[in-house]
Amino acid sequence: MPQVTQNVLESHLTINNLELNAASLLAAETKLSKQQIKQAMNKGAVWLTRGKQTQRLRRAKRTLKLGDELHLYYNPQVLAHSVDAAELIFDGGQYSIWYKPYGMLCQGSKWGDHTTINRYAEIHLAPDRPAFIIHRLDRAATGLVLIGHSKKTTAALAKLFELRQLDKYYQVIVEGQFNSGNLESVTIATDVDNKAARSHARLLAFDEEKKRSLVQVKIESGRKHQIRIHMASIGYPVVGDRLHGVAKEGELNLQLTSCYLKFTCPITDEIKEFELPERLKPKLIAC
């Protein structure tokens, strides 16, 4: 029987007859309409288990087999959520570079994946192709994201991140006058989650009126929330950081953006360099 909690519904059923398709079976089981089921499928909330493999099921008319298992994770709030559109920066065929807006995810959940950057790429690229996450940005962060379109290329690009053979920098807007006008880089080596982490931060500009600084940050390691933790640890929390800073009521979104990527293409061996357009970078004047 379906499990229902405050309009959130979870249902699991085993296929024991082949007379109905997946949408019809789930509609009969849950009392949701077939249209609601199809919308949930399209947004990644329906899964199919066949043998030892479980994957999202998006086509209502996909051929089923006896013994298959259907799983529905229906959360109206999750399914109704929407985000701004991502922007394609570069399409290299086997990989692409995107601008990820605020709120877009780099990883879906069992409840859906329609607000993830890889699903957005799958839907909007032409010709269409699978899309695989190589690295992640926080939900609240913005900027350049590298997406793979074949497992081989994805693995090769992921290796560049693992071996730190890819140059990248971020720009953040922080509270206070960072480094008192000194343009030299500051190294921050505070552990993150009890693991070694190093960041190098350099002042780009300072807003005297609002007492905020635009700072460029390069990281040697890739710990979760590393930049946010490091900037807060030395007294310059990132503007809009509700977790590690002191976000004010009505504050702007997190002012942390991935602005630059440089790496050797694993397909052509060419040096590839990408910088976010100025219009998409953090702006002191807007804060």
Side-chain angles (χ1 to χ4, degrees):
M1 291 293 292
Q3 302 174 19
V4 182
T5 305
Q6 295 181 341
N7 296 323
V8 175
L9 184 152
E10 185 174 330
S11 182
H12 310 273
L13 61 93
T14 301
I15 305 304
N16 51 31
N17 77 76
L18 303 177
E19 295 179 4
L20 299 176
N21 63 30
S24 297
L25 286 167
L26 287 169
E29 176 76 7
T30 63
K31 307 307 179 186
L32 295 171
S33 71
K34 283 194 284 187
Q35 186 61 29
Q36 287 174 305
I37 297 295
K38 289 177 181 178
Q39 289 174 349
M41 282 184 173
N42 185 55
K43 293 183 176 182
V46 177
W47 297 73
L48 171 67
T49 296
R50 178 170 293 167
K52 295 182 178 180
Q53 187 177 35
T54 299
Q55 58 186 9
R56 296 186 200 270
L57 176 64
R58 300 193 193 274
R59 292 188 297 111
K61 294 184 179 180
R62 177 171 172 176
T63 302
L64 300 175
K65 295 182 179 180
L66 294 175
D68 284 351
E69 297 176 7
L70 292 175
H71 313 277
L72 170 65
Y73 301 95
Y74 191 86
N75 185 325
Q77 186 174 356
V78 172
L79 295 175
H81 186 63
S82 63
V83 293
D84 291 338
E87 183 173 326
L88 179 63
I89 303 296
F90 171 79
D91 185 355
Q94 294 296 306
Y95 62 90
S96 56
I97 307 287
W98 294 80
Y99 168 75
K100 185 192 85 67
Y102 173 85
M104 186 169 276
L105 304 171
C106 284
Q107 184 173 355
S109 71
K110 66 182 183 180
W111 303 97
D113 66 348
H114 63 293
T115 57
T116 63
I117 182 67
N118 55 314
R119 182 59 180 160
Y120 188 92
E122 286 179 343
I123 294 172
H124 290 86
L125 277 175
D128 63 332
R129 66 207 87 154
F132 305 102
I133 290 294
I134 295 169
H135 63 117
R136 289 174 170 79
L137 281 180
D138 294 344
R139 182 193 68 83
T142 60
L144 296 175
V145 173
L146 181 57
I147 299 290
H149 300 300
S150 73
K151 291 185 177 180
K152 181 178 179 180
T153 300
T154 297
L157 290 168
K159 197 71 174 177
L160 297 181
F161 280 88
E162 181 183 341
L163 298 177
R164 300 176 188 173
Q165 294 176 348
L166 183 147
D167 291 333
K168 57 185 182 296
Y169 71 69
Y170 303 78
Q171 288 185 8
V172 295
I173 295 176
V174 301
E175 301 287 359
Q177 184 173 4
F178 180 76
N179 209 22
S180 299
N182 189 337
L183 297 181
E184 295 297 318
S185 178
V186 172
T187 297
I188 310 161
T190 308
D191 285 358
V192 176
D193 292 332
N194 297 315
K195 296 178 181 178
R198 288 172 67 86
S199 301
H200 307 283
R202 179 170 64 87
L203 178 69
L204 296 178
F206 175 62
D207 186 322
E208 179 68 41
E209 180 181 348
K210 296 177 180 174
K211 297 295 188 291
R212 287 176 172 174
S213 301
L214 177 64
V215 178
Q216 180 172 297
V217 183
K218 295 185 70 173
I219 60 175
E220 290 186 18
S221 44
R223 311 301 182 196
K224 185 176 181 180
H225 295 173
Q226 177 174 326
I227 294 175
R228 297 159 67 176
I229 292 172
H230 271 179
M231 297 309 296
S233 74
I234 59 172
Y236 301 98
V238 178
V239 171
D241 189 348
R242 293 166 174 77
L243 185 60
H244 304 286
V246 184
K248 302 168 185 175
E249 186 175 351
E251 187 60 272
L252 293 175
N253 297 336
L254 181 73
Q255 297 297 297
L256 188 158
T257 302
S258 170
C259 292
Y260 177 86
L261 291 173
K262 181 180 179 181
F263 56 91
T264 300
C265 174
I267 301 169
T268 65
D269 286 330
E270 296 176 319
I271 299 296
K272 295 290 187 179
E273 191 172 13
F274 303 95
E275 185 164 6
L276 200 64
E278 286 297 323
R279 61 186 172 81
L280 295 175
K281 292 181 179 178
K283 299 292 190 299
L284 270 176
I285 193 170
C287 294

